[in-house]
Amino acid sequence: MAGLIVSNIKKRPTRTIVSILAVSVGVVMIVLFVGMSQGMLKDASDRLQNVKADILFQPSGSSLLFALNNATMPVRIQEKLMEVDGIKHVSPMLHQFSKKKFSLVFGIDPVSFNEVSQNGLIIMQGRLFDDPYECVVDDIYAESNKVQVGQTLDILNHAFMIVGIFKSGIGSRILVPLETLQELNDSRNKASIFYIRCENKDRVDDVYRFLTTNELFKGYNTTKGSDIEMVMSSNLPGLQEFTAAIVVVAVLISFLVILLTMYTTITERTREIGILKSLGATKLFIVSLILRESLLLTSIGVGLGLVLSMAATEILTRLYPSLPILLKLDVMGYVALIALVSGALGSFYPAFRAAQQDPVEALMYE
Amino acid sequence: MRFIVETRDLTKVYRVGKVDVPALRGVNFQVKKGEFVAIMGPSGCGKSTLLHLLGGLLSPTSGDIIIDGINIASSGDRRRTEVRRKKIGFVFQRFNLFPTISAKDNIELARKIHGNHGADATTVDEILEMLGLKGKMDHKPLELSGGEQQRVALARAVINRPSLLLADEPTGNLDSVNSHIVMRMLRDLNLKYNQTIVVITHEPTTATYTHRIIEMLDGKIVPKHADFHVEHEGVFTL
């Protein structure tokens, strides 16, 4: 039976190739989209976690995905926070999304930032900024944008001198002085977030409990550093729905392509189905034959789609080093399963129709 | 006397639009085990309908069809499919081989559908030898001549050692030389394996290879032409 299935697929090479490509496009679509969204989340989460803050303190209505909001709060809250028993360091940060660079710019206070992050900001080349219109960029940004120390960078329509390149993985890709960004952003004495470092790890829960229950800090968003990844993935508005929509579209593509392919195949092979019936083939045998054929087509499409996804990831990350794409084996397995199921569903009606064909009419089919 | 085929008051009426078109009007006949029978008649006399009914591809309007002891007229589709798989082999005018797979795979497919792989390996070899197919098994149907294709179809039909071989105009698409070869092979299968064969044909020459001719006209069997007996190849007498 395998010989018949393979030969049927080889009989119409153009249609087979188109079907396989269509299935693989669906697979690539899902794998890349999920990979990008998970990659971006993971990257943002890692960079936030690498600040090593024990607690993140934000204004009401804000999000850990900074690009999604511009809520700010007065910097003077820093003083109140420092009065809380158990808190050792507090570092304010203001962020601004640079549409031109399609990147987040963080305004930081280098001294307190290094206190919280325990000197986590590693300068690989040059130095940290001293003057208001100096900035540092991370190595990925420098590589992908082909910039180096000494060059100027246009940030929010202002020229900033790149004075240093820091090791990627912490904060943002572009760091500027806090006061400068406040000035440019018309947010004087404002901050988007306070990174808090406690005296020791044992005090984190107590401090967190205090900040979330004390009337003075009521209405602010407080997140423990250890919960960043979980909070980010669960609080991202619309991502799950959008991912689901992409999956549905890709599944529909696979389903319709296989349905159309197998439907035309069955119509073309009406006579052959009549022959099978004359040989005594059961309905189950015929359904199984069609299903296996479609599953073979879908499997090749899925395999090709996964290979193309990996190739596309490789190419995209080389072309755009700052674009994080996270390919996970479980996601790829899940996508393969979805595509196979949609392929099987797409072939079910043609298979059922084939099995129901009148053998005499089928044998007379021209 | 054991009958492999027996029909009783067999009728078949087709419904065409709002009109009933009778194809068979009470057909009664029997075929004994090991008999080689030809059913002859003009176009539209109902012989193809009769063959399809005997093969369980159609269900009758009324009457009985008993194939090797099983009344398939009153059986459901599943039972008729099982009888077709286990007890019947078909040979068609247009060969009806799968064009994309080799002769060997065409035959293997029939064995696969049969389930228990029908004949043993020695018998399979014997059948292929008898049909002159050794050396042709790896060819695809379109790489074979018409006569060779029909021999592959013949091998496919008998490979599972069916109780009944039904052949629908098996020489209809062949020249006289290949027609002779195919009919001689059918006769050899009948002689060597005591294979019961019912052939539908409108060619008198083809019918001469059989033991008996059943003539049909207007959906009925014509009594006066029954019971011809073969005396030797190519000649039959009353």
Side-chain angles (χ1 to χ4, degrees):
Chain A
M1 192 150 77
L4 184 62
I5 292 168
V6 172
S7 70
N8 282 338
I9 284 178
K10 282 157 75 177
K11 191 179 176 186
R12 291 269 185 273
T14 309
R15 186 171 56 200
T16 298
I17 289 167
V18 169
S19 308
I20 288 171
L21 281 178
V23 171
S24 66
V25 164
V27 169
V28 170
M29 226 167 112
I30 304 179
V31 170
L32 277 191
F33 180 76
V34 174
M36 279 183 195
S37 57
Q38 289 197 333
M40 284 179 189
L41 265 181
K42 178 86 168 58
D43 182 60
S45 162
D46 285 350
R47 281 192 277 129
L48 202 52
Q49 279 180 322
N50 287 341
V51 175
K52 293 177 187 164
D54 292 322
I55 293 171
L56 306 173
F57 189 83
Q58 294 176 277
S60 171
S62 58
S63 164
L64 286 179
L65 273 169
F66 299 128
L68 296 179
N69 70 95
N70 274 322
T72 55
M73 57 193 164
V75 169
R76 67 172 183 279
I77 294 175
Q78 183 179 9
E79 293 162 20
K80 296 288 177 194
L81 286 169
M82 284 301 290
E83 288 170 11
V84 174
D85 187 32
I87 290 181
K88 191 175 181 185
H89 301 295
V90 177
S91 179
M93 184 277 280
L94 180 71
H95 73 264
Q96 175 64 43
F97 188 73
S98 169
K99 288 177 190 164
K100 212 170 196 176
K101 297 287 171 193
F102 206 72
S103 184
L104 269 175
V105 179
F106 277 17
I108 61 162
D109 164 39
V111 176
S112 63
F113 189 84
N114 271 328
E115 283 172 350
V116 170
S117 66
Q118 294 179 310
N119 297 315
L121 197 60
I122 299 165
I123 301 295
M124 300 166 69
Q125 201 183 330
R127 59 175 173 79
L128 203 49
F129 43 75
D130 290 329
D131 291 334
Y133 286 92
E134 289 181 345
C135 71
V136 289
V137 297
D138 73 3
D139 51 345
I140 291 178
Y141 185 91
E143 190 194 335
S144 58
N145 290 280
K146 308 281 181 250
V147 293
Q148 50 195 328
V149 174
Q151 280 186 280
T152 55
L153 201 60
D154 184 352
I155 301 170
L156 306 172
N157 297 322
H158 287 75
F160 280 75
M161 170 75 77
I162 301 172
V163 293
I165 292 172
F166 66 95
K167 194 167 186 289
S168 56
I170 185 166
S172 174
R173 300 213 183 278
I174 306 171
L175 301 178
V176 299
L178 176 64
E179 292 78 10
T180 311
L181 195 60
Q182 285 172 335
E183 188 76 24
L184 294 178
N185 204 18
D186 200 17
S187 303
R188 286 171 197 85
N189 300 317
K190 299 275 186 178
S192 312
I193 191 168
F194 288 110
Y195 298 116
I196 298 172
R197 183 155 201 94
C198 297
E199 284 169 357
N200 57 60
K201 295 288 173 197
D202 297 338
R203 302 299 306 274
V204 175
D205 286 342
D206 293 338
V207 173
Y208 175 78
R209 201 173 303 117
F210 181 82
L211 293 179
T212 50
T213 54
N214 190 281
E215 276 299 311
L216 189 62
F217 303 109
K218 200 173 178 182
Y220 289 90
N221 284 351
T222 311
T223 308
K224 277 197 269 188
S226 54
D227 294 339
I228 288 173
E229 196 171 348
M230 183 263 291
V231 171
M232 279 183 106
S233 51
S234 62
N235 284 359
L236 196 57
L239 180 67
Q240 282 179 336
E241 290 79 0
F242 190 58
T243 306
I246 294 284
V247 169
V248 167
V249 169
V251 163
L252 268 178
I253 291 173
S254 296
F255 173 81
L256 290 174
V257 164
I258 294 295
L259 176 69
L260 188 64
T261 302
M262 298 316 292
Y263 190 85
T264 52
T265 299
I266 296 311
T267 307
E268 265 179 18
R269 297 216 303 263
T270 299
R271 190 178 182 85
E272 290 178 17
I273 288 156
I275 301 168
L276 284 173
K277 291 208 158 191
S278 75
L279 292 173
T282 58
K283 287 177 179 173
L284 187 65
F285 183 94
I286 293 168
V287 167
S288 150
L289 188 74
I290 309 296
L291 281 180
R292 286 192 209 188
E293 192 172 321
S294 71
L295 280 178
L296 180 61
L297 270 179
T298 316
S299 301
I300 298 171
V302 166
L304 180 67
L306 293 179
V307 170
L308 286 177
S309 301
M310 287 189 271
T313 302
E314 188 65 29
I315 293 166
L316 284 171
T317 46
R318 274 171 197 245
L319 288 175
Y320 309 102
S322 59
L323 180 67
I325 304 175
L326 185 65
L327 293 188
K328 282 182 165 177
L329 271 181
D330 59 341
V331 171
M332 290 165 87
Y334 179 63
V335 171
L337 187 67
I338 286 178
L340 287 172
V341 169
S342 64
L345 287 176
S347 65
F348 189 75
Y349 172 68
F352 179 74
R353 194 169 169 269
Q356 291 298 114
Q357 272 179 7
D358 181 277
V360 175
E361 281 179 17
L363 282 168
M364 288 192 294
Y365 188 81
E366 294 294 336
Chain B
M1 180 64 64
R2 186 181 169 204
F3 295 123
I4 291 294
V5 179
E6 186 174 6
T7 68
R8 295 182 200 134
D9 299 325
L10 190 60
T11 68
K12 178 67 184 175
V13 179
Y14 292 108
R15 183 89 179 164
V16 182
K18 291 180 179 174
V19 182
D20 284 340
V21 180
L24 295 183
R25 305 161 188 258
V27 171
N28 292 286
F29 78 105
Q30 295 89 28
V31 178
K32 288 178 276 186
K33 180 166 175 56
E35 253 195 310
F36 188 1
V37 175
I39 298 174
M40 292 188 73
S43 291
C45 71
K47 56 186 190 299
S48 286
T49 297
L50 179 60
L51 187 99
H52 291 146
L53 285 166
L54 296 181
L57 295 171
L58 281 177
S59 43
T61 305
S62 66
D64 294 319
I65 308 163
I66 296 148
I67 303 293
D68 201 9
I70 299 168
N71 189 348
I72 61 169
S74 53
S75 304
D77 182 59
R78 185 177 294 185
R79 182 71 169 140
R80 279 190 283 126
T81 300
E82 189 189 347
V83 169
R84 201 156 59 236
R85 183 168 64 250
K86 300 287 183 192
K87 294 183 179 293
I88 295 170
F90 272 103
V91 176
F92 299 97
Q93 180 178 353
R94 289 171 55 180
F95 322 135
N96 280 345
L97 297 169
F98 288 93
T100 55
I101 55 176
S102 66
K104 183 183 173 188
D105 287 345
N106 266 281
I107 294 167
E108 277 304 315
L109 183 64
R111 299 185 77 198
K112 171 92 181 165
I113 289 171
H114 187 267
N116 64 4
H117 297 306
D120 57 46
T122 316
T123 314
V124 170
D125 280 347
E126 268 180 26
I127 290 170
L128 297 177
E129 187 76 49
M130 180 193 287
L131 297 175
L133 289 171
K134 292 261 181 174
K136 300 282 182 186
M137 297 302 284
D138 291 328
H139 289 72
K140 287 186 178 166
L142 293 179
E143 296 163 359
L144 300 170
S145 70
E148 287 168 336
Q149 287 187 57
Q150 194 59 301
R151 278 185 274 153
V152 174
L154 196 49
R156 181 180 67 181
V158 297
I159 208 76
N160 294 319
R161 305 300 318 280
S163 309
L164 173 66
L165 176 60
L166 297 172
D168 186 2
E169 303 276 10
T171 59
N173 272 11
L174 302 177
D175 58 27
S176 58
V177 174
N178 278 306
S179 295
H180 171 70
I181 292 170
V182 166
M183 288 312 296
R184 206 178 58 202
M185 285 174 172
L186 278 171
R187 192 193 58 190
D188 290 349
L189 284 167
N190 169 254
L191 291 173
K192 180 156 188 180
Y193 297 108
N194 199 29
Q195 177 69 58
T196 310
I197 303 173
V198 174
V199 176
I200 280 188
T201 183
H202 63 270
E203 295 173 41
T205 321
T206 300
T208 59
Y209 292 84
T210 65
H211 298 145
R212 181 158 65 103
I213 296 172
I214 296 170
E215 190 151 339
M216 289 186 70
L217 187 67
D218 298 333
K220 289 180 180 174
I221 288 176
V222 182
K224 61 176 178 165
H225 286 292
D227 295 331
F228 287 89
H229 294 282
V230 174
E231 191 174 67
H232 56 79
E233 183 178 310
V235 179
F236 59 89
T237 57
L238 276 170

